[in-house]
Amino acid sequence: MDSSSAIAPTRLHVTMLGPTLRQKGGVAAVEEAIFRHAPPELKIDHIVTHEEGSIARRLQVFATGLKELAAQLGRGETDLVHIHFAERGSVFRKAIALSVVRRFGKPAILHAHGSEFHTFYQNLAPVWRSAIARIFRQSSYLIVLSESWKTFYVEQLNLDPDRVIPIPNPVEIPPEVPDRRAQTTVNFLFLGRIGQRKGAFDAIEAFAALPPDRRDRATLTMAGDGEIERARDRVSQLNLGDRITFPGWVDPVRRAQLLAEASVFVLPSYNEGLPMALLESMSWALPAIATPVGGIAEVLTPDETGWLVTPGAIAELSAAMQQAIDNEPLRIRLGINARHRVEPLDVKTYCDRLHHLYRSALESPSK
């Protein structure tokens, strides 16, 4: 036997910087999915660089994480650093981390998640925009969530398009989904932080605008943290407490139960990257009513996988909800198509793409 065939590939040591895995939200969910499904050729260490709390607490967590990163790099314990960031303070913190990584001569991959990075960046003074763009160009690659986000970073930060890589967020495809035919009640489901950015209050108003006979055939479940009391007060004013419920932030088991019981997913956001909740709902064969912001329009196609409505357009949103209530065959068809659409985004395929990108960064690091 050829002895070379028995030699296993070198295991790659990756240090990942990001929020604590206890944090609620998409970035932590992406990190956790990577840790659970990374191939055996990868050894991934996680350094916490952000935790919710006071400014003093956030600075302390970042300083501790930066110190741990420098120690790892100094001991030669990592081959590459994968840096997650969002917007505002996260950008400045991760720019510092990237500079540290490059001082040690290691490649770094940036991973953009911020749904409002474009407005944050465009509101900065020119000198700060220039500084951020210059630091970003030190990375081996920048992972973005969609082609539209790639266009933004290439055009606005003057990045090399060959080093800006669109990789949509991963999704864990459930092995089977419930049969939703002949449902007597159409269950709309919202998953996410309850507030203005994700359009939570628009969803309430749109549901309230439904004709009474349609409301009687539907419910709206709004699971998440945020401005829950404000939302409950508005539901009480509308006298819809029997139709709209707020279970709060749910754990994975309860989340799966809600997705199984739902008929349609609703997320009328004003800004997004590419929401994990949307992809997850599609994997459960749910048609979605959403808005064409961030990368959503690249996975959600009208009359194929769901409905796209204008952000803030309550009448449009309500009309889409009414069509979903009235047309069961359409709901079922869109839901089946939605599941097929996200199957290529399966988390194992995602982790294989990351592994390939890591290897590529080591072969051709940024200068």
Side-chain angles (χ1 to χ4, degrees):
M1 186 179 75
D2 184 357
S3 60
S4 64
S5 63
I7 299 174
T10 304
R11 197 177 191 204
L12 185 61
H13 289 218
V14 176
T15 298
M16 186 169 291
L17 309 185
T20 173
L21 298 182
R22 298 189 302 273
Q23 183 166 308
K24 300 170 182 176
V27 182
V30 171
E31 290 180 309
E32 190 174 3
I34 293 170
F35 296 140
R36 286 203 310 272
H37 297 280
E41 296 85 0
L42 292 179
K43 178 183 183 297
I44 302 179
D45 294 322
H46 183 236
I47 294 179
V48 176
T49 54
H50 178 71
E51 196 173 280
E52 295 294 345
S54 66
I55 294 177
R57 175 58 181 163
R58 295 182 188 194
L59 290 174
Q60 179 188 28
V61 169
F62 176 65
T64 301
L66 200 63
K67 182 179 179 180
E68 184 178 349
L69 171 65
Q72 275 198 8
L73 291 165
R75 294 191 299 266
E77 294 175 352
T78 189
D79 298 309
L80 175 145
V81 180
H82 183 158
I83 305 173
H84 296 275
F85 73 95
E87 59 253 329
R88 294 185 288 275
S90 175
V91 175
F92 295 109
R93 291 192 301 271
K94 301 311 169 54
I96 294 170
L98 175 59
S99 298
V100 170
V101 175
R102 298 302 295 148
R103 284 182 67 86
F104 281 90
K106 294 294 184 179
I109 292 177
L110 291 174
H111 196 153
H113 297 271
S115 61
E116 297 178 292
F117 181 89
H118 55 308
T119 55
F120 156 77
Y121 183 77
Q122 290 164 347
N123 288 333
L124 289 173
V127 64
W128 285 111
R129 290 201 299 269
S130 177
I132 288 172
R134 185 171 61 254
I135 292 171
F136 274 32
R137 285 193 285 272
Q138 297 178 19
S139 65
S140 297
Y141 291 105
L142 169 65
I143 298 173
V144 295
L145 301 182
S146 67
E147 290 289 345
S148 59
W149 277 110
K150 174 175 180 172
T151 298
F152 171 84
Y153 280 98
V154 169
E155 292 182 353
Q156 297 298 317
L157 280 73
N158 194 29
L159 302 183
D160 180 350
D162 291 337
R163 292 187 175 272
V164 181
I165 312 299
I167 305 182
N169 280 331
V171 62
E172 297 185 52
I173 309 292
E176 57 184 18
V177 295
D179 184 350
R180 296 186 174 92
R181 291 172 294 182
Q183 287 183 321
T184 57
T185 301
V186 175
N187 303 309
F188 293 98
L189 176 63
F190 172 100
L191 292 172
R193 180 154 291 178
I194 295 172
Q196 178 65 22
R197 182 177 72 81
K198 288 189 175 286
F201 298 104
D202 292 349
I204 294 171
E205 298 300 331
F207 188 91
L210 289 168
D213 63 322
R214 303 308 200 284
R215 286 202 308 267
D216 290 343
R217 294 165 48 197
T219 64
L220 172 60
T221 301
M222 307 192 73
D225 60 0
E227 300 178 69
I228 298 177
E229 289 310 311
R230 178 186 165 195
R232 281 181 174 147
D233 288 345
R234 181 55 182 154
V235 168
S236 179
Q237 292 170 4
L238 294 166
N239 198 28
L240 290 174
D242 61 331
R243 313 308 298 175
I244 303 178
T245 57
F246 301 90
W249 192 270
V250 294
D251 62 26
V253 174
R254 178 60 175 145
R255 186 184 183 93
Q257 182 182 3
L258 290 174
L259 287 161
E261 294 170 350
S263 312
V264 181
F265 184 73
V266 182
L267 191 70
S269 299
Y270 288 78
N271 282 301
E272 286 288 359
L274 183 59
M276 294 281 288
L278 171 66
L279 301 178
E280 187 176 13
S281 72
M282 294 173 72
S283 76
W284 279 84
L286 289 175
I289 304 174
T291 51
V293 298
I296 289 177
E298 295 175 29
V299 296
L300 191 63
T301 305
D303 201 39
E304 287 187 18
T305 54
W307 295 262
L308 287 174
V309 300
T310 306
I314 305 298
E316 279 185 44
L317 178 55
S318 189
M321 295 174 84
Q322 181 169 336
Q323 187 180 32
I325 294 169
D326 290 343
N327 195 333
E328 181 188 83
L330 177 63
R331 286 200 316 270
I332 300 300
R333 176 175 66 82
L334 296 180
I336 292 171
N337 291 344
R339 181 173 167 90
H340 291 325
R341 175 63 185 83
V342 298
E343 282 174 347
L345 307 182
D346 177 72
V347 65
K348 293 181 181 178
T349 302
Y350 177 91
C351 287
D352 287 341
R353 290 190 67 186
L354 277 186
H355 185 197
H356 176 78
L357 197 65
Y358 293 159
R359 296 286 179 185
S360 177
L362 286 170
E363 292 167 5
S364 56
S366 60
K367 298 180 181 179

